[in-house]
Amino acid sequence: MATMLWMLFSAALTPTSGVTAGTGVFEPWLQELWKQPTAQALDLRVAKGLGAKGYGKVRISVVAPQLMELSDFNFTYKQQFRYRWTQNFLHSALVDVKPGKNTFTIAGQSVQVDLPAENQGIRAVFWSDPCFSSKWISCAYAEKFQTFPRSVAMLNAVYKDPSMDMFAILGDNFYDQTGELAKTIFDQLSPDVKRRFLLVVNGNHDNWVCGGPGCGDVSDNFGIGQMQYYTADPIASRSGNGDFLDFSIDPDQRKAWKTFQNKGSNFLVYHKLGNIGFLGFSGAADFQDMKPYFEEACDYFVQTQPATVFPLGHWNGGGMGCQPGMSVPALRNELLSLTQCRALGNRLKYMDGHEHCNYVQANTTEPVGFMIGAHGMDDSCKAQYGFLYLDSSNGRVKLYYFEVASESADQYDQLIACVAKGGLSSCTKMAQLWLDVPVTSETETYVV
Ligand SMILES: *[C@@H]1O[C@H](CO)[C@@H](O)[C@H](O)[C@H]1NC(C)=O
Ligand SMILES: *[C@@H]1O[C@H](CO)[C@@H](O)[C@H](O)[C@H]1NC(C)=O
């Protein structure tokens, strides 16, 4: 208990990432880019359905500048975005897919969704705190690392590889208040990126663009635009009223700008993909409110036995809108103290961001915590720009950290050439191996 209190206390003292205010203007290069015609491909989102609904459930969504009337695909939800980012329209449906290749036709375009069989290895890329514009918050290394063209080109190259399954961003998603920056980058992503499973986490700047509730105001997002734009299948999808998100908080009615004007149930997702479990959540939600869902998620994981379970959150420590017990390291401890979750033991790991550095953040008898927040922003560490690559195929769960560039080195050209030739899995010599554990560990069996 004393340990727990100390951890909560010290988490509250952890210095939070100092960021500087933005310029207030979009860069001239963005203005130029917006004059170019954009691709006509569907702005597709594919998300794994909530675990309890069954392994084969997948939510397919399309974001568009107007409502689409389609004869070839039945979206069950068709609405203009509510409250925020209302320049967009969302179309969404939960569908059944089978392991392997599933082909849909949506608006005349063929969409292939590949579901890895349950317990099969998967491959995924993780970013956190990505930035390319200094409109709202200063993106210190946008130019130094050419984050916009390079992040786009790297993703498009990586997802040409048919063995890639998933892409995740762990919050502070492009430091975007209005949805313009999200659209700018998503317009550049290839259909091969967008047909993969997407999981996007809510961070402090996604709620209050300035970085915390104290400076929140009427223009802020509270994750409302993001939860529609980066469509997932969260706990709120079970409400059964035809909506799959909970819109019961209208921020402009409530006007509590310096609070989290949203529901944690819009961000809490859990599921398996292949042999890995994922638990996405917003640290701005109240722990006690989310506790029943965490317990439910653990019951699901203990039953379905993924090789590793990754809570995916944003905050690495308290403050800046993070609720007690809801920083990612604190949540791991909270979970391990719950009867439903205890059996997960070291299989329960985590990834987070918020601090703009990339390093192995926590070890027990093996590495368990992974910080991946350096993707354009600066911090107390030296400049870093990189991403995590998860490969759980061939009987091992491996995490590779690719440092694309740093203060003193830049391997972007070699890396993208390598990826174009043989996919990320052929380039791991250019990465640091952060985790390498067997899929079935003899010392870490589930004890229920
Ligand atoms: C859409 O739903 C209607 C009514 O249930 C059905 O007749 C039609 O076949 C469905 N279309 C597709 C493409 O699934
Ligand atoms: C965890 O272990 C790795 C590998 O030995 C090491 O690089 C890292 O600094 C450790 N992290 C912490 C927080 O102890």
Side-chain angles (χ1 to χ4, degrees):
M1 192 60 200
T3 318
M4 185 56 95
L5 281 176
W6 166 246
M7 288 168 58
L8 288 173
F9 180 63
S10 59
L13 294 179
T14 305
T16 43
S17 303
V19 292
T20 5
T23 58
V25 290
F26 288 116
E27 289 75 2
W29 69 266
L30 280 171
Q31 314 271 1
E32 283 308 305
L33 184 68
W34 292 336
K35 291 180 194 154
Q36 311 291 317
T38 52
Q40 292 305 299
L42 282 176
D43 196 11
L44 183 77
R45 309 284 182 268
V46 178
K48 199 80 203 313
L50 196 67
K53 296 181 184 178
Y55 186 78
K57 294 288 184 192
V58 169
R59 180 166 291 283
I60 294 184
S61 309
V62 170
V63 176
Q66 68 283 311
L67 277 184
M68 305 184 304
E69 282 308 323
L70 302 179
S71 54
D72 55 5
F73 193 88
N74 283 335
F75 285 113
T76 52
Y77 179 93
K78 284 190 273 185
Q79 297 287 335
Q80 184 170 11
F81 274 34
R82 306 279 300 274
Y83 311 139
R84 292 293 183 272
W85 298 10
T86 53
Q87 67 273 28
N88 299 304
F89 293 77
L90 180 58
H91 311 71
S92 188
L94 192 69
V95 301
D96 289 295
V97 299
K98 294 193 177 60
K101 179 172 153 182
N102 300 267
T103 310
F104 300 91
T105 305
I106 307 176
Q109 297 187 25
S110 180
V111 171
Q112 186 183 323
V113 175
D114 298 324
L115 178 69
E118 191 166 2
N119 301 323
Q120 186 182 309
I122 64 160
R123 289 174 170 165
V125 161
F126 302 83
W127 296 357
S128 192
D129 302 66
C131 69
F132 57 84
S133 166
S134 295
K135 158 89 173 167
W136 304 104
I137 293 292
S138 173
C139 179
Y141 302 130
E143 279 176 43
K144 180 181 174 73
F145 295 138
Q146 301 168 54
T147 56
F148 185 79
R150 285 175 158 199
S151 295
V152 165
M154 188 63 75
L155 271 196
N156 288 342
V158 164
Y159 288 85
K160 272 188 188 151
D161 175 349
S163 74
M164 293 301 300
D165 299 293
M166 174 182 166
F167 173 52
I169 315 177
L170 307 185
D172 290 0
N173 309 301
F174 314 111
Y175 297 79
D176 187 11
Q177 189 180 62
T178 58
E180 289 159 290
L181 295 175
K183 179 172 170 24
T184 300
I185 189 160
F186 267 62
D187 276 352
Q188 304 292 322
L189 300 183
S190 71
D192 269 336
V193 176
K194 292 184 184 178
R195 71 182 183 84
R196 270 33 181 263
F197 293 98
L198 178 72
L199 198 165
V200 175
V201 166
N202 171 259
N204 51 314
H205 290 273
D206 302 315
N207 297 322
W208 314 276
V209 80
C210 59
C215 51
D217 72 25
V218 61
S219 306
D220 272 322
N221 203 274
F222 315 103
I224 297 168
Q226 282 96 347
M227 76 189 189
Q228 296 172 83
Y229 199 80
Y230 305 116
T231 326
D233 191 51
I235 290 286
S237 66
R238 292 193 295 214
S239 68
N241 64 355
D243 290 346
F244 67 99
L245 294 167
D246 184 336
F247 292 107
S248 62
I249 297 181
D250 175 345
D252 303 310
Q253 291 284 324
R254 183 177 279 199
K255 298 183 175 20
W257 317 121
K258 297 184 193 310
T259 68
F260 178 53
Q261 301 206 77
N262 206 324
K263 297 273 188 171
S265 61
N266 282 321
F267 299 99
L268 202 142
V269 296
Y270 71 85
H271 59 254
K272 249 176 117 179
L273 186 65
N275 58 0
I276 304 294
F278 294 102
L279 170 60
F281 70 102
S282 171
D286 181 77
F287 175 77
Q288 288 302 330
D289 289 351
M290 294 299 106
K291 193 175 163 203
Y293 309 128
F294 289 139
E295 291 171 342
E296 174 188 326
C298 285
D299 281 340
Y300 169 80
F301 291 134
V302 168
Q303 260 166 38
T304 58
Q305 309 228 336
T308 300
V309 175
F310 287 103
L312 299 178
H314 178 70
W315 285 260
N316 66 316
M320 292 183 140
C322 186
Q323 291 297 310
M326 292 295 265
S327 76
V328 194
L331 183 79
R332 180 175 186 272
N333 290 323
E334 292 284 358
L335 292 182
L336 288 175
S337 72
L338 300 176
T339 347
Q340 291 83 352
C341 307
R342 194 171 296 143
L344 295 173
N346 271 340
R347 286 173 196 249
L348 190 67
K349 301 193 163 22
Y350 66 82
M351 296 179 199
D352 59 8
H354 192 55
E355 181 183 349
H356 306 135
C357 307
N358 297 329
Y359 61 96
V360 178
Q361 189 182 338
N363 302 295
T364 57
T365 51
E366 61 190 61
V368 294
F370 307 93
M371 161 63 64
I372 193 66
H375 202 93
M377 284 282 166
D378 59 340
D379 212 310
S380 51
C381 50
K382 285 189 175 163
Q384 291 180 292
Y385 170 55
F387 60 88
L388 264 185
Y389 167 54
L390 164 71
D391 183 353
S392 66
S393 61
N394 301 314
R396 314 278 307 173
V397 179
K398 296 186 184 189
L399 276 178
Y400 293 97
Y401 168 56
F402 281 93
E403 189 151 275
V404 179
S406 67
E407 195 77 44
S408 53
D410 192 321
Q411 60 171 352
Y412 173 79
D413 291 335
Q414 301 93 296
L415 182 57
I416 199 151
C418 177
V419 168
K421 218 167 166 188
L424 214 41
S425 64
S426 72
C427 309
T428 53
K429 282 192 298 294
M430 301 174 78
Q432 294 168 26
L433 185 58
W434 278 3
L435 177 72
D436 183 6
V437 290
V439 159
T440 308
S441 155
E442 284 162 32
T443 53
E444 288 289 332
T445 49
Y446 285 86
V447 184
V448 186

